[in-house]
Amino acid sequence: LQIRFLISTLLGPVYGSPIEQIQILPVKTPLELQKRYMVFINRDKVGLQILPVDGNPHKTSALICHPSGVAGMDVSYDGRYAFTAGGQDRSVVQWEINLSALEAAVSLGGEDLTPFYGLVSGGREGRFYRELEDYFYYSQLRSQGIDTMETRKVSEHICLSELPFVMRAIGFYPSEEKIEDMFNEIRFSEYVDTGKLIDKINLPDFFKVYLNHRPPFGNTMSGIQRSFDILGFTNSNGKKAIRREDFLKLLQTKGEHMTEEEMSDCFATLFGLNPEGWKSEPAASSLKGSEICFEEELPDEITAEIFTTQILGLTISQDSGQDPTVSEVERSA
């Protein structure tokens, strides 16, 4: 007996707060086992999800059930009704489950990648997806050698080793652990059926991996500020800051720590001092760590705003009534 487990990261229902409780709808006949449904609640909503989860936003639906907060949920024995209990409102509401309406929404949402295009700014014809295509095919050129005079091999795939560089180029900066998770997810995606490992990925599959692994609510200033609140001290201006020496030490000793050479190479690229820019091997940088003067490039005290805008080169965008988010901007370097 062989049992294989494949762990995947998939975009689930996103309705303002994490899911707090789930229940799988019961089935009456073996035929119904081919498609299952899940009822869930979060802080103030009740929703329905088609299984398996694959990131398709049309396969889920939710609405507010108790504005002041929902305390619990249950479903009827036949799966036709869901019951939610409020907290402060002291009420119980019965909801009729209409599976055909959700299936109709999935059909109207389109097939293949069509439902996923709406998850990025501008959709299929927008600037973001166009840039993703450019980076994806530039990665093919880079892996074959930018200056090569040999005949190019046209392909619809890129090597898995190129995946993290394209991810970072479009503004998603996964940790080394998350990169390894993505590698394993792709490598073993067909192993159960074919017994073979995958070592390349095409653009549609890459797009789905990106959507399922990126932070669902984006990068927010509050998240960055929380880190500085924990790691920093209160400076003379009343802001949380990290001293330059401590900042460099943290990068080399905590979490997924970097070597001095890796750190120097990254800062050289961020500051526009590395003409090679996009490197697959840090040791190949044309600018050695000893040539970087951190005292000149980094301020004595680093706040969350300085780290975001001056070091990472990101812009802070403020949406009305929402937490400021950070996004990548074009760098003249």
Side-chain angles (χ1 to χ4, degrees), residues 69-216:
V70 56
M73 171 200 70
D74 207 343
V75 297
S76 62
Y77 74 96
D78 57 2
R80 294 178 56 194
Y81 300 96
F83 303 88
T84 58
Q88 298 180 3
D89 59 18
R90 299 180 181 178
S91 64
V92 175
V93 182
Q94 174 180 317
W95 304 89
E96 183 178 1
I97 298 174
N98 189 340
L99 300 178
S100 59
L102 186 58
E103 292 289 355
V106 174
S107 299
L108 293 173
E111 300 177 346
D112 299 324
L113 283 183
T114 302
F116 296 90
Y117 290 135
L119 296 175
V120 297
S121 176
R124 174 66 178 83
E125 304 300 325
R127 177 182 175 185
F128 177 86
Y129 191 80
R130 293 297 187 188
E131 288 187 348
L132 171 58
E133 287 182 318
D134 290 342
Y135 285 128
F136 187 87
Y137 292 115
Y138 174 76
S139 178
Q140 290 186 356
L141 300 178
R142 196 179 79 96
S143 61
Q144 297 176 24
I146 298 298
D147 300 323
T148 183
M149 298 300 291
E150 298 180 2
T151 303
R152 295 285 183 183
K153 297 179 181 179
V154 181
S155 171
E156 296 180 351
H157 299 79
I158 61 172
C159 299
L160 278 190
S161 59
E162 293 291 307
L163 182 142
F165 301 106
V166 182
M167 288 287 185
R168 290 161 183 156
I170 58 178
F172 173 39
Y173 309 99
S175 65
E176 295 300 320
E177 180 181 4
K178 182 170 280 291
I179 288 172
E180 190 62 31
D181 289 341
M182 288 189 281
F183 281 166
N184 289 330
E185 183 177 320
I186 298 166
R187 285 193 189 109
F188 292 96
S189 59
E190 300 179 6
Y191 187 80
V192 174
D193 298 324
T194 66
K196 297 180 180 179
L197 300 179
I198 304 299
D199 60 358
K200 59 185 179 180
I201 187 170
N202 59 25
L203 180 58
D205 289 339
F206 178 91
F207 186 49
K208 287 184 179 181
V209 171
Y210 164 74
L211 291 175
N212 284 319
H213 281 267
R214 67 173 181 173

Side-chain angles (χ1 to χ4, degrees), residues 4 20 62 77 107 134 190 197 203 231 265 291 310 325:
R4 297 189 180 97
E20 297 181 357
Y77 74 96
S107 299
D134 290 342
E190 300 179 6
L197 300 179
L203 180 58
L231 300 173
D265 186 73
E291 298 179 31
Q310 297 183 24
T325 59

Side-chain angles (χ1 to χ4, degrees), residues 269-328:
T269 302
L270 287 171
F271 297 147
L273 304 175
N274 187 352
E276 298 294 328
W278 202 10
K279 281 288 183 182
S280 60
E281 295 292 341
S285 172
S286 61
L287 188 66
K288 301 303 179 183
S290 59
E291 298 179 31
I292 299 179
C293 182
F294 290 113
E295 287 76 9
E296 295 180 0
E297 301 296 341
L298 295 174
D300 293 335
E301 296 179 356
I302 301 171
T303 63
E305 291 79 7
I306 291 175
F307 173 73
T308 302
T309 58
Q310 297 183 24
I311 297 179
L312 297 182
L314 305 177
T315 184
I316 302 175
S317 58
Q318 175 71 63
D319 293 330
S320 178
Q322 296 184 359
D323 182 36
T325 59
V326 294
S327 58
E328 188 169 19

